Amino acid sequence: MQAVRFLGALLAGGAALLAQPAAHAATDYPNKPITLIVPFPAGSGTDAVGRIFGVELSAILGQQVVVENKPGANATIAASYVARARPDGYTLFVTTNTSHSAAPWLMKNVPYDPVKDFTPIARGGNLPFILVANPKRPWKTVADLVADARQHPGRITYASGNSTGIVAGATLANRAKIDILHVPYKGTPQGLTDVVGGQVDFMFTDLASGLPFVQSGQLRALAVSTAERSAIVPDLPSMAESGVPDFDLNSWNGYFGPAGMPPEVVAKLNDAIKQVVAKPEVRKRLAGLGFDAFSSSPEAFAQFVSEQRDLWGKLIRDAGIEQQ
């Protein structure tokens, strides 16, 4: 009996010793570089925003935050990578509704659970979307595009580089009762290149990626994808104003880690992200990219992610999009 008690005490002591380094690592966090995974290509809106946050977080946390792009498969390649990473706070994920709200409804086999396999850290803001078209097309308004599509069913094409672009295009086709052809791309930059070049007719794109092309005259902006006009581009009408009812799509942005991260690490990262968002010069720079920056608590973000998953499921079903 004494031997059993001794063995039990020894095991308990060993467990306590094993727990000490983990606890120390959490309080000592970070003590080495952090990798921030971006699920879209360089040049995308999420990439541009993530790199600004990366620089600012490096200064606040005292360790380099290295941005690594893992694009493809509606952001599921990057999401799967992060879900399998060690939950120690050194592999983080800046992503959008593509990986966590839309992909589970767009794809039959998503190798992760968007709620159970991640630790929500904080929201980062919103990426408003705009409808842009090749300026050689004879459309000044969305109504022009719709009228042309009705006259030429199946001949007008739209590009997409993420789930918001996919769902926005399908929602336009559904609400306006038009037949348009979807041309998917690995990322937004590739799609924009072909719209500028005239290989594709139009595209829904985030402001951060599309606005420079609009400002240079390479693309024509027709509307914003939200129910109301955007303060960033107040001259652009909403889709509802343009004659397309019940159209309200917005792309959210947020920060995650793998499931099971220490609460102390989550709290430290959440505070750092809030510090970034609180800087007026950073907010101004992000607004110049078409990004509306704000933050949240981890708990509020977790609830938001769960709600958005259900909302995007309805949007995708209403648009008549079948799982691939």
Side-chain angles (χ1 to χ4, degrees):
M1 192 66 172
Q2 266 187 320
V4 172
R5 288 200 188 103
F6 176 76
L7 180 59
L10 186 64
L11 289 171
L17 286 172
L18 287 171
Q20 285 177 6
H24 177 72
T27 56
D28 194 35
Y29 176 87
N31 55 26
K32 63 181 180 179
I34 298 165
T35 300
L36 180 62
I37 302 297
V38 175
F40 304 112
S44 63
T46 304
D47 175 75
V49 170
R51 289 181 186 279
I52 291 174
F53 269 83
V55 170
E56 296 296 328
L57 289 172
S58 296
I60 293 169
L61 296 171
Q63 288 288 343
Q64 186 179 11
V65 176
V66 180
V67 174
E68 184 177 340
N69 300 84
K70 289 186 177 294
N74 282 326
T76 60
I77 292 173
S80 300
Y81 177 86
V82 174
R84 295 193 301 266
R86 290 184 62 184
D88 55 8
Y90 291 98
T91 301
L92 305 179
F93 192 29
V94 55
T95 189
T96 69
N97 46 281
T98 290
S99 62
H100 278 62
S101 305
W105 303 102
L106 292 172
M107 304 171 69
K108 292 179 179 177
N109 298 306
V110 174
Y112 57 85
D113 185 300
V115 173
K116 295 178 181 178
D117 292 340
F118 297 87
T119 298
I121 297 170
R123 284 186 72 179
N126 284 333
L127 280 160
F129 268 56
I130 54 175
L131 193 166
V132 295
N134 184 289
K136 293 181 181 178
R137 302 298 183 264
W139 314 321
K140 304 296 183 185
T141 65
V142 175
D144 292 340
L145 188 163
V146 169
D148 196 7
R150 285 175 179 162
Q151 289 181 357
H152 304 96
R155 291 179 57 185
I156 291 175
T157 57
Y158 72 96
S160 72
N162 50 46
S163 69
T164 305
I166 295 170
V167 177
T171 301
L172 171 60
N174 179 269
R175 297 282 193 271
K177 308 302 180 188
I178 55 176
D179 179 11
I180 49 180
L181 181 63
H182 178 212
V183 184
Y185 287 82
K186 190 174 183 179
T188 297
Q190 295 91 331
L192 283 170
T193 297
D194 278 3
V195 177
V196 169
Q199 288 87 356
V200 186
D201 296 316
F202 75 95
M203 180 177 190
F204 284 92
T205 179
D206 59 273
L207 271 171
S209 300
L211 199 56
F213 292 98
V214 174
Q215 292 169 336
S216 67
Q218 293 174 282
L219 292 174
R220 178 183 294 135
L222 303 184
V224 293
S225 67
T226 45
E228 305 293 336
R229 294 195 180 204
S230 168
I232 301 172
V233 282
D235 293 337
L236 276 184
S238 68
M239 292 294 287
E241 287 179 274
S242 302
V244 184
D246 301 321
F247 199 111
D248 185 14
L249 287 171
N250 205 352
S251 176
W252 59 261
N253 170 287
Y255 292 81
F256 296 87
M261 284 176 58
E264 299 90 345
V265 172
V266 174
K268 190 164 190 175
L269 288 167
N270 180 272
D271 180 68
I273 290 167
K274 286 180 177 177
Q275 288 184 54
V276 174
V277 171
K279 293 184 177 183
E281 68 276 14
V282 175
R283 289 176 65 90
K284 183 177 180 181
R285 187 178 173 194
L286 290 167
L289 291 173
F291 183 76
D292 181 17
F294 53 86
S295 190
S296 72
S297 68
E299 295 77 18
F301 186 36
Q303 182 178 346
F304 174 80
V305 170
S306 181
E307 292 169 351
Q308 285 289 301
R309 181 181 56 175
D310 296 339
L311 172 63
W312 277 80
K314 183 178 185 305
L315 289 170
I316 289 166
R317 287 193 302 272
D318 288 350
I321 303 173
E322 294 184 5
Q323 282 187 321
Q324 302 296 315

